[in-house]
Amino acid sequence: MSELSKLKISEARDALKKGEVTSVELTQACLSEIEKADALGAFVHKTPELALDMAKAADANKAGGDLNGIPLGIKDLFCTKGVASQAASGILEGFKPEYESTVTTQLFADGAVMLGKLNMDEFAMGSSNETSVYGNAVNPWKRGNDDAQLTPGGSSGGSASAVAADLCLGATGTDTGGSIRQPAAFTGITGIKPTYGRVSRWGVVAFASSLDQAGPMTKDVRDSAIMLKAMSGHDPKDSTSADLAVPDFEAALTGDIRGKTIGIPKEYRMDGMPEEISKLWDDGTTMLKDAGAVIKDISLPHTQYALPAYYVIAPAEASSNLARYDGVRFGHRAKLEAGDGITEMYEKTRAEGFGNEVKRRVMIGTYVLSAGFYDAYYNRARKVRALIKRDFENVFADGVDAILTPATPSSAFELGAMKDADPVQMYLNDVFTVTTNLAGLPGIAVPAGLDKNGLPLGLQLIGRPWEEGDLLNTAYALEQSLQFVAKPNRWW
């Protein structure tokens, strides 16, 4: 393996500035790794010529930003001009946008290099990257000596797999109910979901518009801080984008958390929680205390209602957002027979283009929004969401600076293991992460240790709104104490 692709963003940035390496060399190293890693199913649209052109431009541009010359992977949910952007769905087959998403525009303006588009769950609906039209993304980690292929998590599974396997230096992800933090925990990397409105959603294919938020997936906390700064900022094209100055997140990483109050929510200590995850949580708590933080037991009483509320609100918004895929304007259109009208075109196109999980969620969403059930389901879920948000507001008003929880209820499971399970079993993967999306809060997953099978486990920190700098610093202090350096053994 090329040593260059193993570099962190911060290391590569410094080496580029000193002239010790060129962006072309970095990019070629990553492209070479990508070519050897088809077994991971991470990169689904490779753009080597474009990458090398961008790298040459970065080498010529000495005035670029922190990401100048840094090779990144872009989740397939982001529209990239002239490059296939399918959201891993058959219904968007052949769609090449004529415009660039705000996030990728800002990354490229900073000098970042795009290596290609990354695998994901279809329309970001899934927790295991098994709903993709491209096939599964695969976790680079293995369970002991077991050859079984494991999930990298979802929906940003391709991003997680690519970063963990050193195919790129960082990647973009999106998080609607945990889709940055859960895959990060499953693959031993770092991922942050910023406050809702911190990063523009313009040009990101919509799943659930009041929950979706883009963020970085990287090899450590510092890299997440660097990437998040480039991704953030007000965008007049996104009405939910916050008109707030973007702080220098990297400058906030002092590691000093003395006097900070860390909340430990009792509701997250669930029945049947694996002993390893419980111990990891306790160890993380002790580490933060040793670093000078004050530990406080807290209550978030409406946590138990978060998953049911999420799985009403998210499908409802999805059924509205996905109505635009009708075969008329873009993407796939079914072949019609003589006598077929517009209704048949809609029906056949959507039946052929959408996968089963997307169909399931669209049907649930349409059901909960229908006249007889709107108040019973959708409005009730919105009220529960307000209560969940209030729980966090109360805790923060009591002086808590951040909340420590597990990131996932287990380590990565085998691909196909949930095939015949009740869909709700899969949804339980998001049990620790959905509350932050419902409340619009920032959350970060940090790799914390290995389970008995040698698989990574993560811890999650939830921060106050708009205080990502403070959250990243707490995560940095935790990272310094945890000293997680394990990497997957190469098998691909």
Side-chain angles (χ1 to χ4, degrees), residues 334-412:
K335 286 191 168 57
L336 303 181
E337 294 166 13
D340 280 351
I342 193 160
T343 304
E344 286 78 16
M345 184 187 75
Y346 289 164
E347 288 174 351
K348 290 182 178 179
T349 297
R350 290 163 74 83
E352 290 174 13
F354 288 145
N356 288 340
E357 182 60 30
V358 171
K359 288 175 187 170
R360 178 185 290 123
R361 296 201 198 188
V362 167
M363 286 193 288
I364 292 169
T366 307
Y367 176 79
V368 300
L369 290 176
S370 59
F373 302 103
Y374 189 91
D375 284 332
Y377 291 106
Y378 184 62
N379 260 346
R380 186 174 291 182
R382 285 171 60 207
K383 288 172 184 169
V384 170
R385 180 182 192 171
L387 293 172
I388 289 166
K389 189 165 187 282
R390 198 176 68 191
D391 286 349
F392 282 105
E393 287 166 354
N394 291 341
V395 162
F396 291 138
D398 280 347
V400 168
D401 295 293
I403 296 165
L404 180 71
T405 78
T408 57
S410 70
S411 57

Side-chain angles (χ1 to χ4, degrees), residues 212-381:
D212 298 342
Q213 189 60 195
M217 302 179 72
T218 60
K219 296 175 188 180
D220 69 359
V221 172
R222 183 174 298 279
D223 285 4
S224 279
I226 294 167
M227 245 184 104
L228 182 60
K229 185 185 175 195
M231 293 171 74
S232 298
H234 180 240
D235 178 10
K237 297 197 289 280
D238 174 4
S239 62
T240 61
S241 166
D243 192 359
L244 291 173
V246 178
D248 184 343
F249 297 123
E250 189 183 7
L253 305 182
T254 62
D256 184 1
I257 58 166
R258 286 172 296 180
K260 294 285 182 190
T261 301
I262 307 296
I264 308 296
K266 65 180 184 186
E267 288 81 7
Y268 282 60
R269 207 168 281 282
M270 313 187 93
D271 291 341
M273 181 190 279
E275 183 59 39
E276 292 166 311
I277 288 176
S278 186
K279 182 180 184 307
L280 201 68
W281 191 12
D282 292 340
D283 290 349
T285 306
T286 303
M287 287 172 185
L288 290 172
K289 188 177 181 181
D290 290 347
V294 177
I295 305 301
K296 182 177 182 179
D297 288 327
I298 60 168
S299 177
L300 297 166
H302 294 94
T303 298
Q304 61 179 313
Y305 306 115
L307 266 181
Y310 174 84
Y311 278 103
V312 169
I313 292 167
E317 294 186 15
S319 82
S320 173
N321 277 325
L322 271 57
R324 70 192 71 171
Y325 305 108
D326 51 15
V328 176
R329 286 156 294 185
F330 40 68
H332 175 72
R333 178 184 292 181
K335 286 191 168 57
L336 303 181
E337 294 166 13
D340 280 351
I342 193 160
T343 304
E344 286 78 16
M345 184 187 75
Y346 289 164
E347 288 174 351
K348 290 182 178 179
T349 297
R350 290 163 74 83
E352 290 174 13
F354 288 145
N356 288 340
E357 182 60 30
V358 171
K359 288 175 187 170
R360 178 185 290 123
R361 296 201 198 188
V362 167
M363 286 193 288
I364 292 169
T366 307
Y367 176 79
V368 300
L369 290 176
S370 59
F373 302 103
Y374 189 91
D375 284 332
Y377 291 106
Y378 184 62
N379 260 346
R380 186 174 291 182

Side-chain angles (χ1 to χ4, degrees), residues 125-145:
M125 298 183 198
S127 304
S128 63
N129 214 129
E130 292 175 284
T131 69
S132 168
V133 72
Y134 308 118
N136 300 337
V138 181
N139 196 325
W141 291 81
K142 293 273 194 182
R143 214 169 18 206
N145 297 319

